Amino acid sequence: MPSVELRLKEMSLRELKEIAAQAGIQTEGMKKRDEFVTKLTSLENIGDVVKAWEGSLPHLLDSKSLKELKDIAARHGVSVSKDEHRKELISTLISHPSAAAIAESLKSEKSLDTIKDELEEVKGEIVKTAEAVRLPPLEDSTVDPALKQALSLEVDFDHCEDLLDQARMRFEEKNFEGALSAAVEARESAEKCRKEMENSTLAYAILSAQRLVEECGKAGRDVEKAADILRTAKRLFREGDTGGMNGQLKELEAVSRSLFSAEVQRARDEIHRTQEVMRDISNLGADVRKAEEMLSEARDALKRSEYKRSLEHSARAIEMAETAKQERLRNIEEAIPGTVLIIEEAKHVGADISEAERLVSKAKTAFASKEYLLASELVKRAERAAMESQQNQILRAMELRRRQVEKAQAIVTQIEPVIDEAESFGIDVGETRTLLQQAKDILTEGDYVNGTIFAKNAAEASRRLEPKLVEERAKRGIAKPMEGVCASCGSNRLQFTDDGWSRCSDCGYTYRWRAPTGVWSKFKNLWKD
């Protein structure tokens, strides 16, 4: 009970309310966490209640992100909207018929995560134990201190040379007694230097071989034979048996070099294999920068003769590259429905999507056949084809709109001088003028459909004015020309209409044969009226 009570005290108020609801406790009037903790801990079966709450689907889903919830829905065949919010998605999963299966799956995942965390905690100890079991004993407390001390020996050959020079000089001076003393002292110094030199070189050789054997053993190699030779070499060093040491040292060198060469080649081969794997994954467009950094660490470890660490870094680099690959494959797979949506949008505007549909179909086939690079390229081409067709359709629609606007504006341009002329003759043009102004205003707003309708209505009203125009012109002695010459091409094949316009039958050039009414003409018309 104390452990359960401690866990309850660490929970939030919302979690405590959920557990209370799970236990069927009435919580009216309860607002503080301590009240909930006290009430819950008074239950005899509170441990079972908390355990049931932790395994409930709402609690398991509550810790998941939106992306994780969508992945869960996809795995269990739950249809969700792409715009669905997190709370809505949780409600959908809870109410789905497969909710029990989802809960069991999440419980299993949680158990696996717990086991994984526990293994991570003891991983270091397991590795150390495994290495200790795999490696034969190489340390020797009776000789290792002497070997380490021999590493720091400084061999003074200069003193030997000085004593030899003194013996030579005294011999030449015929001081044979002094020469004898200097020669004996030089020999004793040389012998001491030789022993120190021998011990130091043996210590470096033995300990270097030991390090190579240890590294190869950590990497999983069989080093039992090398360990036996190393222990024998240490024993001979301790006993001072330099005669037997020479043969033993050569054998130790040969075995150590053999292990070293094989382990170096193994680490190099693994690095090369990792490079090939990463190159293939990189060609898919995956982000392998972290994997490349890990591979670089593997190379550095190899340079330091840390073969086990080099192999571990290479394996880790492959794991990172595979993770990047899976992420890239998810992106490619998710891009296919996104491209299909773009194709549907293009279809709605009347675009030709046959090429895009063909490419996205081939992309699906390529992805199913695990030809991921081809699938990625086909998806891009399908998206580009859909967008280009959509753009072309939009451009055609814009061109159509532009032509319609030009037609409507041409109607306005054609009838406006007719209305002005009729107005100058005192003809009632109120309705026609209103329709014309409405057409102008609507066209200015960009609504060419309604603008065209009002322009045509204004043109129809303008045509009804033509008989009155002809009559007024006749009163004023204004007659329609019967012939003329085109100002554009010089042709005399001209057509003259009652609305005051003329058109060349050869080149299509149009102009007003009825000149615009000036201010003086308007004044005279008003004076006559």
Side-chain angles (χ1 to χ4, degrees):
M1 184 70 68
S3 62
V4 176
E5 183 177 357
L6 182 61
R7 289 173 60 193
L8 290 173
K9 288 181 178 180
E10 294 175 349
M11 292 181 183
S12 65
L13 182 60
R14 180 177 62 82
E15 291 173 330
L16 293 172
K17 288 181 178 180
E18 291 177 359
I19 296 174
Q22 182 88 14
I25 296 175
Q26 295 295 328
T27 60
E28 293 182 5
M30 296 171 59
K31 297 181 179 179
K32 297 182 179 179
R33 293 174 65 255
D34 292 342
E35 295 175 344
F36 280 91
V37 173
T38 303
K39 187 70 173 179
L40 290 170
T41 51
S42 65
L43 299 176
E44 294 182 359
N45 63 336
I46 183 59
D48 295 333
V49 172
V50 172
K51 185 176 180 181
W53 171 76
E54 289 177 340
S56 64
L57 185 56
H59 175 67
L60 293 171
L61 294 175
D62 188 56
S63 61
K64 303 295 182 182
S65 65
L66 180 61
K67 185 178 184 301
E68 290 173 330
L69 291 171
K70 289 184 177 180
D71 291 341
I72 293 170
R75 287 202 304 269
H76 293 275
V78 180
S79 178
V80 295
S81 170
K82 67 175 183 178
D83 298 326
E84 202 163 349
H85 297 296
R86 186 172 175 276
K87 290 184 178 180
E88 296 171 346
L89 187 51
I90 291 175
S91 300
T92 302
L93 291 171
I94 293 173
S95 60
H96 196 269
S98 59
I102 295 173
E104 288 300 321
S105 174
L106 293 178
K107 286 179 186 177
S108 301
E109 290 179 5
K110 188 175 182 180
S111 299
L112 289 174
D113 290 339
T114 303
I115 295 172
K116 183 178 178 181
D117 293 339
E118 292 174 352
L119 289 175
E120 284 294 332
E121 291 178 1
V122 299
K123 179 181 177 181
E125 295 298 326
I126 293 174
V127 171
K128 290 180 181 178
T129 304
E131 289 178 354
V133 172
R134 184 167 57 244
L135 276 175
L138 302 177
E139 305 291 338
D140 188 339
S141 60
T142 61
V143 69
D144 285 352
L147 287 169
K148 293 177 181 178
Q149 184 178 3
L151 295 177
S152 60
L153 288 175
E154 294 184 3
V155 183
D156 189 4
F157 286 107
D158 292 338
H159 183 58
C160 297
E161 291 179 359
D162 291 341
L163 292 172
L164 183 60
D165 289 339
Q166 290 178 22
R168 185 183 298 112
M169 290 171 60
R170 289 171 184 173
F171 183 82
E172 291 175 353
E173 294 170 354
K174 299 186 184 302
N175 182 2
F176 299 115
E177 183 182 2
L180 177 60
S181 299
V184 171
E185 188 178 355
R187 184 185 179 285
E188 291 175 353
S189 178
E191 182 65 19
K192 180 184 176 183
C193 288
R194 185 193 66 78
K195 288 183 179 180
E196 289 178 348
M197 179 72 173
E198 185 177 43
N199 286 341
S200 184
T201 54
L202 287 173
Y204 274 109
I206 291 171
L207 292 178
S208 296
Q210 179 174 330
R211 297 294 182 271
L212 290 176
V213 172
E214 286 176 349
E215 283 296 325
C216 295
K218 290 177 181 179
R221 300 296 304 282
D222 182 7
V223 296
E224 191 63 45
K225 180 181 178 181
D228 289 339
I229 298 172
L230 179 65
R231 286 192 290 266
T232 302
K234 285 188 175 184
R235 178 179 58 80
L236 293 173
F237 181 86
R238 183 179 66 245
E239 296 173 356
D241 185 359
T242 57
M245 191 67 171
N246 291 331
Q248 198 71 16
L249 192 61
K250 288 182 179 179
E251 189 176 0
L252 178 61
E253 180 187 9
V255 173
S256 299
R257 285 186 180 278
S258 176
L259 286 171
F260 170 75
S261 300
E263 202 57 33
V264 168
Q265 190 59 44
R266 180 186 173 195
R268 286 174 177 169
D269 291 343
E270 191 64 19
I271 288 175
H272 180 71
R273 186 179 75 86
T274 304
Q275 285 177 328
E276 294 296 322
V277 171
M278 288 173 55
R279 185 180 296 112
D280 293 339
I281 294 175
S282 179
N283 289 337
L284 289 174
D287 184 3
V288 294
R289 287 175 295 179
K290 292 183 178 179
E292 288 174 346
E293 292 174 0
M294 185 59 64
L295 183 60
S296 179
E297 292 185 16
R299 294 192 188 98
D300 293 340
L302 177 60
K303 291 177 182 178
R304 297 191 300 268
S305 299
E306 298 176 357
Y307 312 117
K308 180 176 180 292
R309 187 175 295 275
S310 177
L311 293 170
E312 288 175 348
H313 286 331
S314 295
R316 180 62 180 148
I318 289 181
E319 289 179 6
M320 290 180 172
E322 287 294 334
T323 301
K325 176 183 176 181
Q326 294 304 318
E327 181 67 23
R328 175 59 180 158
L329 295 185
R330 280 195 296 272
N331 291 339
I332 295 173
E333 189 176 14
E334 291 172 359
I336 292 176
T339 304
V340 171
L341 183 61
I342 293 174
I343 292 173
E344 288 298 321
E345 291 175 352
K347 185 178 181 180
H348 289 160
V349 298
D352 180 9
I353 57 171
S354 57
E355 177 66 10
E357 286 181 328
R358 183 183 69 82
L359 290 171
V360 81
S361 177
K362 292 180 69 175
K364 292 177 180 178
T365 304
F367 190 87
S369 303
K370 297 185 178 181
E371 298 179 9
Y372 302 121
L373 185 59
L374 176 60
S376 175
E377 182 62 27
L378 288 171
V379 167
K380 292 179 182 177
R381 289 172 57 189
E383 181 179 0
R384 185 164 56 249
M387 295 180 70
E388 286 178 353
S389 63
Q390 186 178 19
Q391 184 181 17
N392 291 336
Q393 185 64 22
I394 292 172
L395 289 175
R396 284 195 292 269
M398 291 176 65
E399 177 62 21
L400 175 62
R401 178 183 179 279
R402 185 186 63 79
R403 290 198 299 266
Q404 293 295 334
V405 169
E406 288 179 352
K407 288 181 180 179
Q409 289 176 340
I411 294 173
V412 171
T413 302
Q414 185 175 9
I415 65 175
E416 188 166 18
V418 177
I419 297 173
D420 290 342
E421 184 183 7
E423 188 176 23
S424 69
F425 292 154
I427 300 173
D428 183 11
V429 295
E431 178 188 0
T432 310
R433 177 71 73 182
T434 300
L435 292 172
L436 177 63
Q437 189 59 45
Q438 288 175 340
K440 284 183 176 182
D441 294 341
I442 294 173
L443 287 172
T444 302
E445 294 173 359
D447 186 357
Y448 75 91
V449 176
N450 290 319
T452 301
I453 293 173
F454 276 93
K456 288 182 177 180
N457 291 339
E460 182 65 28
S462 174
R463 281 192 289 272
R464 292 196 294 268
L465 297 175
E466 290 179 11
K468 295 180 180 180
L469 271 175
V470 173
E471 182 180 346
E472 291 297 327
R473 286 173 189 159
K475 290 179 182 180
R476 291 165 175 75
I478 302 172
K480 181 171 65 176
M482 301 303 295
E483 58 183 17
V485 178
C486 178
S488 176
C489 66
S491 173
N492 57 5
R493 299 178 59 199
L494 299 178
Q495 297 177 355
F496 301 92
T497 56
D498 291 339
D499 61 1
W501 288 92
S502 57
R503 182 178 182 276
C504 178
S505 300
D506 291 334
C507 68
Y509 175 70
T510 60
Y511 65 95
R512 290 281 298 173
W513 66 262
R514 178 71 178 98
T517 304
V519 176
W520 177 247
S521 298
K522 291 182 179 180
F523 178 74
K524 289 196 297 181
N525 291 332
L526 289 172
W527 180 262
K528 290 179 180 180
D529 294 340

